Structures are given as structure tokens and as C-alpha cells.
Amino acid sequence: MRKRVILLLIVCINVFMLTGCWNYVEINQQMNASGIAIDVGQQGKKYHLSIEVISVGMKAEEGISANVLETDSDTLFEGIRDLMAMTTKKLYFGHCKTMIIGEKAAKNGIAEIIDVTLRNHEVRKELDIAISKGCDAKDILLTEGIATPIMSYKIYDLMNTSVKAVGGAPKTKAYLIFNSIQSEGVCTVIPALQIGNVQEKKVLELAGVAVFDNDKLAGFLDKRETEYLSFLNNKIERSGLLTVKVSENPDLFLSYEVYKSKTKRDLQFNEDVPSVNITVNTSAIIGEVETEEDFSKPEEVEKVKQLLEKNMEENFTKLIDRAQTKLNCDIFGIGAQLQRDNPEMWGKYKDNWDGTFKKVKINVDCKVKITGSGIENGTVKKGQLK
Amino acid sequence: MSILKKFSAKAQKPDETGRLHLNEDKLEKDLDKNIQIVSKVFIDDGTLVERRFENQNHSKVKCCAFFFDGMVDNKRIDECIILPIMESKCLSKNDDTVEDIMSKVIASNDVRKSENLDEIVLELLHGDTVLLIDGCSCAILISTKGWKSRAISEPDSEKALRGPREGYTEDILTNLTMLRRKISTPDLKFKSRTFGTRSNTKACICYLDSLVDKKVLDELNRRLDKIDIDGVLDINYIVELIKDNPLSPFKTIGVTERPDVTAAKLLEGRVAVFLDGTPCVMTAPFLFIENFQAADDYYLNFYFASIGRSLRILGFLMSISIPAIYVAFTCYHRELIPTSLALSIMQSHEGVPFPTILECLLMLIIFEIIRETGIRMPSSIGQALSVVGALVIGQAAVTAKLISAPMVIVVAVTAITGLINPKIKGATILLRFSLLFAATFLGLYGYGFLMVGVLIHLLSLQSFGVIYTSQMSSYQISEIKDTVVRAPWKYMTTRPVFEQRDIVRKK
């Protein structure tokens, strides 16, 4: 019995003393990185790495502030190690929420960059990734925040909440982008950010999406194009926006809010010329009216509806044309859908999908249902009230 | 855990003198000799009163009454024993004197005859009056017990919002009466016995004969028979000596101060043991869920009772877990804290000189000290304690950057939730510190490992052959009717499962 007790004690002591405190780090012994920006390096180095770190003041009044650390390196891992030499505390990536890749760096390929983020155990797989448009990624971290001093968290909010208010946006999480790059027959799209001016201040704004050919940047779509892309990919969210020019008068517009939308895509690959029939079924609510329609009359609504359908189809065709001729990227994931629906057929087209995609005939049929006109029936009839 | 055995000194041969049942003398016919015999037993005892008297008509009828001053009702001795014998006209000195005195003279409801000196001594010690009569080799024992006892009041440790407000007192007879008034049936058995080789404390085993599991009763008696201790001042002496798994922090025998609780437990087929001199009564078998049951769970609306019950269970889990989880989160799993919270924790931790674990230990120990002080100190200086506790330890320590503000919140929540279940207090404190250490060394893994260990221990416990976690660990809904929620009385048709006989509680 005594032997057993002594043995047990030795085991316990070993377990606790030899292992030490496994991973014990005091919460204030580390420096939280909130965001990463990656650009093409200077002086022949491959990357220019900027990391936004949060500094916490001793007293509550000092508050929380953010600083950006920068370095040039050949690999990102090396860069992070270099930056740790600059800080007194260990850099911790558990609360890192965004990664911005510069336009130029994105043109060289993003696969290796995302690989680092997925390989490191500290970085979350749900890291939000964005591409900077027309500026360096570093500049985005250096713009002035309006509500929070930490820019990376502002970008996180922008991409996760604000995006919904302006219609669909592609998924931005690192692991989803990684999956998308790896899969065949679909081009990756990542949200793009740019710096705009508001009252002579540099302010961050969403700028549609960046389109990738494999992992290399091929071009950008603007905000409206992004919305139409979401329509075609059946990913438009509630409260997406449609704006229509009323044909007779070029200055008058109608705005609609998307209430519900469903897109069906029918692939016809048996014929000589492969074709795709896309049907978009949308319910919309009138959001803003500049004309003088009376929406209590069915014929007036019908007129607006046709206008809307025509307008949408035109925009869809434009987007498809741009994807097929200029970008030459299957942003609609038609290849991926073919792979799912008809794997044998995909085998035939697989090797030359880029060439085939150009030739695929894409027809869009739009059906709009106007479900409401807001909480107002008519419109303001200037000076006509009897 | 043989280490604990070191607390006990090497066995020595017990010295039997001073124990009862050693009187070899026998009563004789001569009164003077008998008086000597009794006086010899209580030599050097100033409280023993020896009162000689004789009958007015037949002066040969000589008597002597022995009793202990203070333990008897003096008025009864005067009026019911001494006066009638003195004035009696029917007495004469013959062989029937004793019978005559018992049946015709003494006006008392409890009169016995005894020749056994041991019994005489014991009854004398328990407050009876011993009457010796000249020419008779036996004594008459007359019940004249009468001493001051505390009034019946609501027990402080088990207050109830509704329901009976009475609690046990230190007098076993009063206590048994209270129980008898709750359950009026001949089925309720009271088996008397004594504990303590020197204290000779009266005890009583109570149960409902038709409900009790005979195996439990036999096992209880077997364990009680093994007790050989000089004195028992509280029921806890017995509880610790007979409980299953004596070193476990969890209680496997219940203790209550409320007669209604005892009655309810007896009606579920349990056994109760009363002990003289203490208002605490033990009940067995005791299940884990009973730690969280309160008397007014059954007296209040079942919705309200169920909320209270689930809060108590949640409180127990919170109280043992919160410090451990806080340390694990802040020191190992920082990514699990929401970012804004992590930042504010960082901010309040900036400049604090101690590591989180030390901070946590310090605060928890200080709280335990305050709690213990609160029990021990005179109630008149309670205000000083709360001022020092709240201001100095709470606010000033944070302002002085000795501890971080979230830690004060953590300890406060831990402390409050720890007080919600007074019945399981010991286990809560022990588990809280063990989990804290496990989490400090291994983070959430350590916490998880130890929790699994505790669960294995809990599941392996038994109380008098009944599985400790039964009811709680059952898949059958009819068996968990009185666990996390308390089912309406309408649907509690059966007694708890451990009870084997007559399981139907209501139709």
C-alpha cells in the first residue's frame, strides 16, 4: 500500500512538474495581432508583411489603440518571426480576423499565402480575406477608422455585416477560399476593398469582388456586377438592390429591394454547342420611385415589372459577356455544376474547360414578381391633389 | 489512502474502568447497605441527592430516594413520591410493600422495578428517581425527568419559504414527538439504543416497517453495532463512522434539522437515526440529488420549485467550474474568448504583478477566510467584516492593481453560487480548488480530465447498497421525476426506485 501511494505521488509529480504548464501564457504577456496585410516586397524580397497589433493601455482612460508593424521577407513565416523581434511580447494570432492581400501580390498568386494561414495553428480558419483594389494592402490597414481604432476589426464588420445590406457577397473565409481555389470548374471570387474619400478623409469601402483565374488575380467586378453575379449563382440575399432606368426619361429611376430570389440553371451539354439556360425568379419590393405610377393598379405594376425584367436581362448578358470574353473566368461555376450533374460529360470537357467556357451559350430568363410597394400605394403627384 | 491512517495512533489496550456495565455488587435487603452501594457508584458526585424518609403510620417502612439535582422535576418528586409514601395509611412492612407502593401509593405514569444495578445507575443518570425500600432487594424506578430545554424554533441552516417552521431541539423525546405527530401510524417504529461507552447517549432508529428495505436496515444495524467510541456529541460522529466510502468528499448520509424533511424521507422508505443532545438527525440511504433538494421544493408550486432546483444544480456546477474555466480560457485558450472581452480582460490585467492562477487562489482563499470568519466571530462585529471584505478586498485591491477586475467578478460569482447549496459545501470547495489546479496545469483538458474523474467517482459511489446517482442517471423519465425538475404531485405516483416494497405512493 505504501509503495503504491509513493508510486502514485511520483507519477503525479512527474505529470505536473515535467510537463510544466503545457501552454500557459498570461493574457497580458502576448500581443494580439488583429490583421495582416500582404504586399509585394521591396528590395528584392518576395513579400512585404504588415501586421496590425493591438496595444492596450494600463488604465481604462488610455484605451485601446492599434499599430502597424512592417517587414520585408521571402516567406511569410520568416516575416512573422522578424516582427516578433520588434515587439516585446509574443505575437498571438488567435484574435486575428482579417487578411488583406495587395493587388500586385494577388497577381502573383494567393495559394501560398492562404496556405500559411491554414497551416498555422493559431490563425483561425474563419479568417476573412480581402483584396485591395487600386492601392497597397498596407494602406488599407493605415486608413483612419471611423468607429473603432482597430482597422482590421472594422474590415471584419464591413465584410460580415455591411455586406448583407447591399446584397449578396461571396464567402470570404480562408478555408472556403482555399477549397474554391482547389476545386475544378469554378473561379474564385474574393471581396475587394478600396480607399475612398469622404469629407477629405480617407475612408475604406467595399469595391465589388476580385476575380481569380486559379490563384492569380484576373480582374475586378464592380458593386453592381457583383450583385448580378450573386443573382446568377443563386446567392443573392434579401435586401439586395436593383435600380432601373425608366426608358423614356434618362433621368428617372426606380429602385427595388430584393425580397426573395431563386435561380435555376439548366445545363445542355449534349448538343454541339453547349448551352446553359438560367432562370431567375425574383420577388422585389419597390424602394424608391421617381415617376408617377399608381401601384394599386395591376397594369401599372405589370409595366414596371416588364421594365425590370428587361433591365435585369440586359445586365446579366453584359456580365456574362464580360466573364466569357474579357476575364475568361468561369465565375458562375458552370464547370463545377457540370461535374456534379454529369461527371462523365465533365471528363470530356475537363482538360480544355477554359476554351469551352468561352463558347458556352448562356441564356438568361428573368421573372420578376413585384410583391409590394413599401407601405405606400401611390406616388407623390406634384400639385395634382384635388 | 493509507496516508490518512497515520492520523490514528498505535492501538493501545483500552482501559475498561469507568465504562458502565461493570457493577458487580447486588442489592441486598438492608436499606443502609443498599444506600452505600448506590453512593459508592456515585462517589465524589455532589449533584446526587439522597433523601431518606419513612411512613407516618408505620415507621418501619423506610425509604430512600436518589435523584440528580437539576435533571428531575422537583415538584413531581415531592408531590407524587415523597408525600404519598409519608402519608399513606395502607402501608405496612411485609413482603408486598414494594408492590403496594408501586400500585397504590406512587402517583406516576412510569414506574418500574429493577434489581439490576447497571440499569438503576443508567436510569438515574437519565433523570429518573430511584426509590430504595428497606427489606427489599430491588429498587423502584420512577420517571421524573425534567430539565430545561430549548424552545422549538425554525432551524437557521434549513430555512424554508413555506411549510412547517419547526425544527428539532436537543431533546430526543421532543424530537421523536415531532416526528410522531407527522406520521401517525403504528407502522412507524422507534428502536432505542445508546451510543458512547462513556457518554451513554440515547439514540433512536426510526423507520416505516412496511416501506423500509430490510437489507438497508440490517446493514445500518450491522454498522451501528460496530461503533465503539467513548462519546457522541453530534450525529456527525456516527455519520462519519458508518458512511460508505468514508474518504469521499460527497456525503452518503443525509443530515437534517427539520421533522418534515425526516418524515418525507421515511415515507420514501429511508431510515432515520435520532441522537440525544443534537438537533441533527441522519437519514440513509442518501442520494446525490438530495444535496439539491430543499423542503419547500415540495411545498411550492412545481414550476417555481423546478426553477429553484435547476438553479441549485447550475449553481453547484458554476461554483466548481468558474475559476477553473476562467484560468483555462485566459491562460491557454485565448481564442475562445470573444475578441472585445479578451481586450478588456487584457486591459484590466495590464500592470497586475501576479499570474492569473496566483491571483485566483489568493482571492478564493481570502473569500473562504471571510466566510469562515463570518461563522466564528460574534455577530456584533459583522459590519466591520463586510466593510473590510467589500471595500478593501473588492475595490481597493483592484484600484491598487493588486488583482484584476474580472477576477473579482469571477470570485464573487463563484462565492455566491457556492453558498446556494449548503449541503454540498465541502465537496464544492474541494472540487473548486482541484479543478482550478487541473486547469492551471493543463487548460481545458485538465478540467475535462478531472471532471471525468469526478464523474467516475460519483457513479461508483453507493449509499447502503443504493447507487448514489440513481434517479439522476436514469434514462426512464418516471425515475427522474424528482431531479432537475420536480414533477407535479399529480404525477409523482411512485416512490424512488431504490425502495423495493410498496412502491406506489399515490393513486
Side-chain angles (χ1 to χ4, degrees), chain A residues 67-318:
Chain A
N67 298 310
V68 177
L69 308 172
E70 295 173 62
T71 187
D72 286 294
S73 62
D74 282 328
T75 66
L76 290 172
F77 207 69
E78 186 194 325
I80 291 170
R81 282 297 157 93
D82 286 350
L83 286 179
M84 283 200 194
M86 292 183 200
T87 59
T88 49
K89 293 171 178 176
K90 187 183 169 292
L91 269 182
Y92 178 68
F93 286 88
H95 285 290
C96 178
K97 287 193 174 171
T98 36
M99 180 162 84
I100 300 141
I101 302 171
E103 193 178 338
K104 283 175 205 155
K107 276 180 183 149
N108 296 338
I110 58 167
E112 303 94 63
I113 298 172
I114 294 174
D115 178 82
V116 177
T117 66
L118 293 180
R119 204 170 290 283
N120 189 309
H121 73 277
E122 272 186 6
V123 182
R124 287 174 176 242
K125 304 261 178 288
E126 300 100 320
L127 187 73
D128 274 308
I129 292 180
I131 308 295
S132 70
K133 184 180 176 185
C135 60
D136 277 349
K138 184 185 84 182
D139 299 335
I140 294 208
L141 282 188
L142 290 173
T143 46
E144 234 173 293
I146 286 177
T148 157
I150 304 160
M151 206 56 214
S152 307
Y153 293 164
K154 202 204 156 196
I155 297 167
Y156 172 82
D157 288 343
L158 193 69
M159 294 206 287
N160 285 281
T161 46
S162 311
V163 153
K164 283 181 185 159
V166 291
K171 292 274 182 271
T172 56
K173 309 290 177 197
Y175 70 101
L176 291 171
I177 289 169
F178 194 62
N179 287 349
S180 163
I181 290 173
Q182 280 177 315
S183 45
E184 290 174 315
V186 62
C187 280
T188 310
V189 287
I190 302 175
L193 294 171
Q194 67 182 21
I195 297 171
N197 278 310
V198 171
Q199 293 155 0
E200 294 174 3
K201 266 189 193 167
K202 281 183 176 177
V203 168
L204 197 66
E205 60 183 24
L206 275 173
V209 291
V211 177
F212 284 80
D213 184 8
N214 283 323
D215 72 323
K216 292 186 172 57
L217 182 66
F220 290 96
L221 299 182
D222 67 20
K223 270 189 222 165
R224 288 283 93 77
E225 283 174 322
T226 309
E227 227 163 30
Y228 289 113
L229 176 66
S230 300
F231 262 116
L232 291 178
N233 288 350
N234 197 18
K235 278 178 185 151
I236 188 90
E237 302 215 11
R238 195 172 165 169
S239 80
L241 184 80
L242 292 170
T243 304
V244 188
K245 222 180 251 184
V246 180
S247 51
E248 297 97 39
N249 189 339
D251 289 339
L252 290 179
F253 293 93
L254 277 173
S255 270
Y256 295 84
E257 220 178 350
V258 176
Y259 180 66
K260 219 187 317 183
S261 180
K262 197 165 169 64
T263 308
K264 271 187 189 164
R265 303 198 297 197
D266 187 20
L267 270 54
Q268 303 286 338
F269 272 73
N270 293 323
E271 287 123 53
D272 297 338
V273 184
S275 66
V276 179
N277 295 319
I278 303 179
T279 325
V280 182
N281 276 309
T282 303
S283 305
I285 297 171
I286 294 160
E288 191 177 330
V289 182
E290 293 182 5
T291 52
E292 296 183 347
E293 265 89 18
D294 181 1
F295 294 105
S296 58
K297 288 178 188 154
E299 61 271 15
E300 296 270 346
V301 176
E302 182 66 23
K303 218 172 82 188
V304 172
K305 194 192 101 172
Q306 278 168 6
L307 202 69
L308 200 57
E309 280 173 359
K310 205 179 124 208
N311 184 287
M312 277 174 82
E313 272 164 31
E314 270 170 24
N315 279 310
F316 285 141
T317 322
K318 252 191 249 169

Side-chain angles (χ1 to χ4, degrees), chain A residues 25-26 28 30 92 95 124, chain B residues 331 334-335 337 339 349 356:
Chain A
V25 183
E26 283 298 329
N28 53 344
Q30 53 173 15
Y92 178 68
H95 285 290
R124 287 174 176 242
Chain B
C331 297
R334 291 159 296 272
E335 66 276 10
I337 314 172
T339 305
H349 214 277
T356 314

